[in-house]
Amino acid sequence: MTTYDLAIVGGGMVGASLALLCARANPSWRIAVIDPHPAEVGDVSARPSFDARATALSAGSASYLNNLGVWQSLNAVAAPIEQVHISDKGYLPGQRICAGDYAMPALGYVVPNQPLGAVFISAMATQSGIESLVDSVEQLTVTAKAAEARLASGANISAKLIAICDGADSPLCKALGIGHRKRHYQQRAVIANVRVSKPHGNTAFERFTDEGPLALLPLQNSRELALVWTQPILEPDRSGRPDTDFLQQLQQRFGHRLGRFEAVSERFSYPLQLSEVDEPWRSRLVVMGNAAHSLHPVAGQGFNLSLRDCGVLADCLKGVTDPGALECLKNYGRLRQQDQTLTTELSHAMVKLFSSRRASLVSARHLGLLGLELFAPLKQAFSRQMMGGHSGAA
Ligand SMILES: Cc1cc2nc3c(=O)[nH]c(=O)nc-3n(C[C@H](O)[C@H](O)[C@H](O)COP(=O)(O)OP(=O)(O)OC[C@H]3O[C@@H](n4cnc5c(N)ncnc54)[C@H](O)[C@@H]3O)c2cc1C
């Protein structure tokens, strides 16, 4: 049986980040990253994390990736978010949060997931200590000294610590009796890239409508944006509508701030729920990424939160001889609890408040938007959260 210091189940955005951070923290470690979907630098699209989406990275995440040495390659494809425009359909004055107000070059950056994946895969391939196995973990067994994984290929491996990063609804957590608390939004997110007639000016738009929030994130081309459009699950899925219909409905929902919506790419649809793991760690096991907490995408916090988790876990494991020891994992859990709860609850509150048709909540969100404009500390707290609790740029 091959033995590792750390085995990571799932080589998506979170598994890959964790592998790179832990390999940097412990250069002598042997780390396995197991994923059934092959990923080469030239083609990462088979892996679910590296699909057609784009990810809004906070300034804090950009800093982490800079420290990992991968930001330079991402800079070539990243679009800066210099301001965020927040508006509510039917309530005219939108509010702006500007990077300049915080003396920062950008509040965050938008990176398409495929180049992000290519950079992660390339960094893992050249980082000594990391072995990528194209395989699937079928069963995990924990003993006092190690965790063991039976792979679909028939091989068995053992590791001092196994990180479960197998995505939302983690089948491995289920098999181990690790439960999740779920809150259903009765919404889906439709994503696509759109082209508009006016330049976006490196602005991200958050538009709240009576059927759910809609986000448009600037891409490198000044007239292209990544759309995340939340829609009620009970209404027909708009992703399958002909382009002209889709663009017309989007125009009607968003308005004309970006001129005309001229073209749209292929659409993809994702069901939305908030899911939080009951037991984020056990002796020799830790649950990370979407397997630990999967959030509504509208606030763009899911990966940013997980990257902060990965950074703190790597710090906790630095120099330790037994990374699966309970004390180590307890310490990690203690350090991460506050940020996890705050980020999860803020994202959830935003979705609830900004998806409601109830008159009292509609008034509350108008007051909230007004408050952002009038009450500087509220605006600062909101912006800090969005920037990933970070005060500097990459
Ligand atoms: C529409 C949308 C937009 C989003 N936008 C943003 C954003 O702007 N900013 C942000 O911060 N976050 C965003 N997110 C959240 C972000 O995408 C997730 O946080 C991230 O994808 C989670 O990655 P992961 O690696 O945990 O899971 P996944 O991407 O699901 O990867 C799990 C991996 O595990 C592998 N796997 C599964 N089972 C096994 C097994 N048994 N053995 C081995 N491998 C296995 C799978 O093949 C897969 O590669 C968005 C999410 C959505 C849905």
Side-chain angles (χ1 to χ4, degrees):
M1 184 173 333
T2 318
T3 61
Y4 294 90
D5 296 285
L6 170 66
I8 299 173
V9 187
M13 296 218 276
V14 176
S17 309
L18 182 64
L20 290 167
L21 284 157
C22 286
R24 296 286 164 101
N26 292 288
S28 63
W29 274 14
R30 198 171 173 196
I31 299 173
V33 180
I34 309 146
D35 200 297
H37 297 104
E40 308 285 330
V41 177
D43 184 10
V44 295
S45 59
R47 218 162 261 192
S49 259
F50 308 135
D51 59 11
R53 281 171 290 170
T55 295
L57 296 170
S58 67
S61 293
S63 237
Y64 263 116
L65 298 176
N66 194 33
N67 293 340
L68 270 181
V70 298
W71 185 252
Q72 260 191 330
S73 320
L74 287 175
N75 223 353
V77 289
I81 302 176
E82 290 169 6
Q83 45 183 326
V84 178
H85 183 272
I86 306 169
S87 63
D88 193 339
K89 190 170 183 288
Y91 178 74
L92 277 177
Q95 309 303 335
R96 276 179 198 274
I97 295 171
C98 301
D101 296 345
Y102 301 89
M104 295 175 67
L107 293 164
Y109 299 84
V110 184
V111 183
N113 284 23
Q114 282 179 9
L116 185 62
V119 165
F120 281 146
I121 296 299
S122 154
M124 285 202 294
T126 51
Q127 173 67 50
S128 65
I130 298 181
E131 293 169 39
S132 288
L133 312 180
V134 179
D135 214 326
S136 178
V137 172
E138 292 199 324
Q139 197 184 359
L140 291 175
T141 322
V142 177
T143 65
K145 291 233 157 66
E148 291 175 12
R150 198 187 68 222
L151 309 185
S153 61
N156 289 295
I157 63 162
S158 111
K160 291 176 188 163
L161 173 65
I162 289 191
I164 302 178
C165 306
D166 59 348
D169 286 326
S170 166
L172 285 176
C173 281
K174 261 189 211 124
L176 289 162
I178 299 175
H180 285 80
R181 304 178 294 286
K182 294 194 175 176
R183 287 177 258 180
H184 296 276
Y185 291 118
Q186 306 300 332
Q187 289 177 340
R188 69 172 76 83
V190 173
I191 66 116
N193 288 353
V194 291
R195 199 180 68 225
V196 291
S197 63
K198 280 189 186 170
H200 52 57
N202 293 328
T203 303
F205 295 86
E206 291 273 5
R207 175 97 165 142
F208 297 103
T209 78
D210 55 3
E211 60 174 31
L214 180 162
L216 279 162
L217 306 171
L219 295 171
Q220 272 212 328
N221 181 314
S222 65
R223 294 202 296 122
E224 285 181 8
L225 299 100
L227 167 73
V228 183
W229 189 358
T230 314
Q231 301 168 354
I233 208 99
L234 292 175
E235 291 178 15
D237 188 343
R238 290 202 186 111
S239 59
R241 301 294 287 263
D243 290 7
T244 42
D245 270 24
F246 186 87
L247 290 168
Q248 205 175 22
Q249 291 189 354
L250 179 60
Q251 189 87 61
Q252 196 252 325
R253 288 271 141 200
F254 183 77
H256 288 81
R257 192 161 280 112
L258 284 164
R260 265 189 346 277
F261 284 95
E262 296 180 336
V264 59
S265 68
E266 191 181 349
R267 274 80 75 190
F268 298 90
S269 201
Y270 299 81
L272 300 178
Q273 65 176 7
L274 170 61
S275 161
E276 295 165 275
V277 72
D278 289 332
E279 237 183 307
W281 43 266
R282 270 181 189 178
S283 173
R284 313 237 155 258
L285 291 177
V286 63
V287 187
M288 308 287 290
N290 265 4
H293 36 66
S294 89
L295 312 186
H296 194 292
V298 81
Q301 292 290 323
F303 177 61
N304 289 304
L305 175 64
S306 291
L307 192 55
R308 299 199 288 278
D309 290 343
C310 292
V312 171
L313 181 60
D315 283 348
C316 289
L317 299 182
K318 192 173 175 146
V320 304
T321 48
D322 185 2
L326 207 51
E327 274 316 306
C328 234
L329 301 172
K330 249 189 204 168
N331 187 31
Y332 158 73
R334 190 177 50 75
L335 292 171
R336 291 304 300 147
Q337 196 173 19
Q338 190 182 357
D339 184 20
Q340 287 170 351
T341 307
L342 186 69
T343 306
T344 305
E345 291 307 323
L346 252 177
S347 297
H348 180 65
M350 237 173 110
V351 177
K352 287 316 250 187
L353 182 63
F354 287 104
S355 303
S356 179
R357 298 176 190 198
R358 274 174 45 203
S360 55
L361 287 182
V362 172
S363 308
R365 72 180 181 235
H366 291 168
L367 281 175
L369 284 180
L370 199 61
L372 276 187
E373 187 57 19
L374 298 180
F375 190 48
L378 178 64
K379 192 166 173 175
Q380 265 169 12
F382 184 85
S383 314
R384 240 197 330 272
Q385 182 64 26
M386 220 170 46
M387 292 185 271
H390 185 79
S391 54

